[in-house]
Amino acid sequence: MDPVLAELLNSIGLEAIKIVGPAAIAAFAAYKAASLQFKATLAQLREANEFSARQHLFDYYKERQKRLLESHNELTTSLGQVLGVSAAVREDDSDFGVQKMVDTFDSIARLYLGAAPFEISLTVRDMKAKGLDDLEEYAELESTKQALEGLKLGPNFDSKKNAVIALLGVYGQLERCNQLLLEKEMDSLFSKYVSRA
């Protein structure tokens, strides 16, 4: 090869390296910086979405706790009236208005009696999903669900009284278990942001 041509190729190669080299290094550095920035932004979005999802779940448990408390209060009032009216009314009482009121209150009690197994199943499922199935309250709720299957609102005062007392206990248990779920969710929601001593 001609020495002039070799020197020209060498000169062009060096000039190309001088021009392209820094541009390639700058492009690689820009790529790495953009990649790190993208990963940081993605991590921030993921954290924000996780926080938002946990907050929605927390709000769900809070609303459920509020609903259970309202149900418990309504149940206490309604079933107290069932017991009061049932105690006042004898089976041989022929007053149609009083009997109609007893039937209405019985319907309310039957409604709560029918809804209780579903509420228990929902709470048991959530407790298991949150890792609370090793608690005493979980086992108690499981046994309550089985005991509830045999509970009937019979025609006499004693059966009504037993059913009302059992239902009040069930809804009280549900409130306590939901409170545990709420505390667990609150703990997981804020555990990243609060240091434990």
Side-chain angles (χ1 to χ4, degrees):
M1 175 149 92
D2 187 15
V4 175
L5 183 61
E7 191 175 320
L8 182 62
L9 287 175
N10 190 18
S11 172
I12 292 174
L14 284 175
E15 288 299 318
I17 290 173
K18 285 181 187 176
I19 295 170
V20 174
I25 291 171
F28 180 73
Y31 167 75
K32 281 295 192 181
S35 175
L36 289 173
Q37 188 177 12
F38 175 72
K39 287 178 183 175
T41 303
L42 192 60
Q44 285 176 340
L45 286 173
R46 191 174 293 129
E47 189 174 309
N49 286 339
E50 179 185 353
F51 183 81
S52 178
R54 288 184 183 272
Q55 189 174 9
H56 283 296
L57 198 55
F58 176 75
D59 290 342
Y60 163 75
Y61 285 124
K62 201 166 72 171
E63 276 302 311
R64 191 162 128 195
Q65 181 70 6
K66 183 179 172 185
R67 186 176 43 84
L68 282 171
L69 183 60
E70 288 171 357
S71 292
H72 189 262
N73 290 339
E74 185 179 315
L75 180 69
T76 302
T77 302
S78 297
L79 297 181
Q81 291 172 347
V82 169
L83 289 179
V85 171
S86 294
V89 174
R90 296 187 179 101
E91 277 96 32
D92 60 337
D93 197 348
S94 61
D95 186 359
F96 180 74
V98 173
Q99 190 57 44
K100 188 74 171 162
M101 190 166 60
V102 170
D103 292 343
T104 302
F105 289 134
D106 278 0
S107 298
I108 292 169
R110 288 181 205 290
L111 177 72
Y112 279 102
L113 193 58
F118 175 74
E119 291 286 351
I120 291 173
S121 295
L122 192 64
T123 304
V124 163
R125 181 203 67 194
D126 289 348
M127 287 181 79
K128 191 170 189 166
K130 294 290 179 191
L132 297 174
D133 52 344
D134 58 339
L135 295 177
E136 185 178 319
E137 285 88 348
Y138 178 85
E140 223 175 275
L141 203 55
E142 281 281 351
S143 66
T144 299
K145 183 180 177 185
Q146 292 173 354
L148 196 62
E149 290 174 8
L151 189 64
K152 301 283 185 225
L153 192 67
N156 62 8
F157 175 74
D158 287 334
S159 70
K160 288 180 188 354
K161 182 180 83 173
N162 292 339
V164 167
I165 291 170
L167 279 172
L168 290 172
V170 166
Y171 278 88
Q173 248 183 324
L174 285 169
E175 280 183 65
R176 172 67 185 134
C177 291
N178 197 68
Q179 183 64 36
L180 291 170
L181 284 165
L182 193 60
E183 289 169 7
K184 177 77 172 182
E185 193 56 39
M186 189 170 26
D187 187 46
S188 68
L189 180 64
F190 298 113
S191 64
K192 290 182 183 179
Y193 309 104
V194 178
S195 62
R196 303 217 185 252

